């Protein structure tokens, strides 16, 4: 168990099977999945996604940590955040996050990303954490910059979405940069 990560607007806790309907409430929306290789989700897609998260949490060594994003004022699940260890030997991880569109523009993605970075560097002892986003997703690029990540590059056609290819912006931060910013 990873415990909870608490901010001023959200707290993060591990996803449970009971969360699948709340996940589905945003994963079914076209605007939530516009820049993603998945979605809009069917009921089955959302349920199986949460089942996979639960199964991945039991793997040894564990490399995937997925959190429900709970909006503190309402005590409601409004998204998810994730840290994936991409290389154990290089102590490198990736963060990702999604927030229900009804809660966009409130700083929840930024706070979620900060909590994920804190967890990755302090609890998982990662050396480098990166995040990517579609170049058209200006809001997500701003979140990554706002939390102290540096744009490192533009990956051309690195993600297949249906029959098309998507570019990605690559952002990263090193543990000493993160610690110096605190």
């Amino acid at each position: 168990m990873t415990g909870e990560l608490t901010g001023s607007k959200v707290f993060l806790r591990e996803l449970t099977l009971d969360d699948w309907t709340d996940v589905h409430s945003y994963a079914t929306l076209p605007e939530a999945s516009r820049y993603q290789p998945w979605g809009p989700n069917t009921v089955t897609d959302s349920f199986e996604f949460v089942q996979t998260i639960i199964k991945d949490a039991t793997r040894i060594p564990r490399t995937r940590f997925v959190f429900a994003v709970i909006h503190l004022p309402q005590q409601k699940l409004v998204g998810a955040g994730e840290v994936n260890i991409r290389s154990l030997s290089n102590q490198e991880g990736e963060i990702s996050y999604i927030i229900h569109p009804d809660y966009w523009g409130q700083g929840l993605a930024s706070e979620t990303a900060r909590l994920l970075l804190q967890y990755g560097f302090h609890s998982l002892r990662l050396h480098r954490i990166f995040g990517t986003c579609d170049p058209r997703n200006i809001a997500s690029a701003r979140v990554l910059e706002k939390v102290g990540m540096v744009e490192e590059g533009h990956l051309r056609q690195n993600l297949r979405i249906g029959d098309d290819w998507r570019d990605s912006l690559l952002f990263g931060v090193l543990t000493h940069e993160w610690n110096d910013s605190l």
Side-chain angles (χ1 to χ4, degrees):
M1 219 36 196
T2 59
E4 294 179 356
L5 310 170
T6 304
S8 63
K9 300 174 185 180
V10 299
F11 78 89
L12 309 184
R13 63 158 172 78
E14 289 215 57
L15 219 60
T16 68
L17 193 56
D18 291 339
D19 293 327
W20 82 268
T21 55
D22 289 328
V23 168
H24 187 65
S25 75
Y26 61 79
T28 189
L29 301 173
E31 61 267 36
S33 62
R34 178 181 351 173
Y35 302 116
Q36 303 303 324
W38 54 267
N41 280 9
T42 64
V43 167
T44 301
D45 293 334
S46 296
F47 185 75
E48 288 177 353
F49 167 75
V50 175
Q51 280 185 314
T52 300
I53 297 305
I54 307 261
K55 184 178 179 183
D56 288 349
T58 65
R59 296 191 190 277
I60 299 173
R62 185 174 180 186
T63 58
R64 189 176 190 196
F65 302 83
V66 183
F67 300 91
V69 177
I70 308 299
H71 186 242
L72 281 172
Q74 296 180 351
Q75 295 293 305
K76 177 178 172 55
L77 189 151
V78 297
E82 184 166 349
V83 179
N84 268 296
I85 299 174
R86 296 299 185 192
S87 172
L88 290 166
S89 60
N90 292 315
Q91 298 171 286
E92 180 180 54
E94 178 181 12
I95 63 165
S96 59
Y97 46 83
I98 185 165
I99 302 294
H100 192 297
D102 289 350
Y103 295 85
W104 288 354
Q106 298 179 31
L108 305 185
S110 296
E111 188 165 273
T112 298
R114 260 190 227 96
L115 291 169
L116 294 171
L117 289 171
Q118 174 186 321
Y119 183 74
F121 287 127
H122 296 162
S123 298
L124 300 177
R125 303 276 187 227
L126 297 174
H127 171 71
R128 178 178 185 277
I129 299 176
F130 69 92
T132 63
C133 68
D134 187 304
R136 298 167 297 175
N137 191 345
I138 295 165
S140 192
R142 284 190 185 138
V143 166
L144 295 170
E145 289 173 336
K146 188 176 185 178
V147 299
M149 299 180 92
V150 175
E151 186 175 340
E152 297 178 336
H154 186 124
L155 306 172
R156 297 179 309 134
Q157 297 185 3
N158 72 309
L159 186 61
R160 189 174 193 128
I161 299 180
D163 293 332
D164 294 321
W165 289 95
R166 184 195 99 176
D167 289 3
S168 294
L169 295 179
L170 174 66
F171 293 81
V173 62
L174 305 175
T175 187
H176 72 271
E177 294 168 336
W178 174 256
N179 290 331
D180 290 348
S181 73
L182 298 177

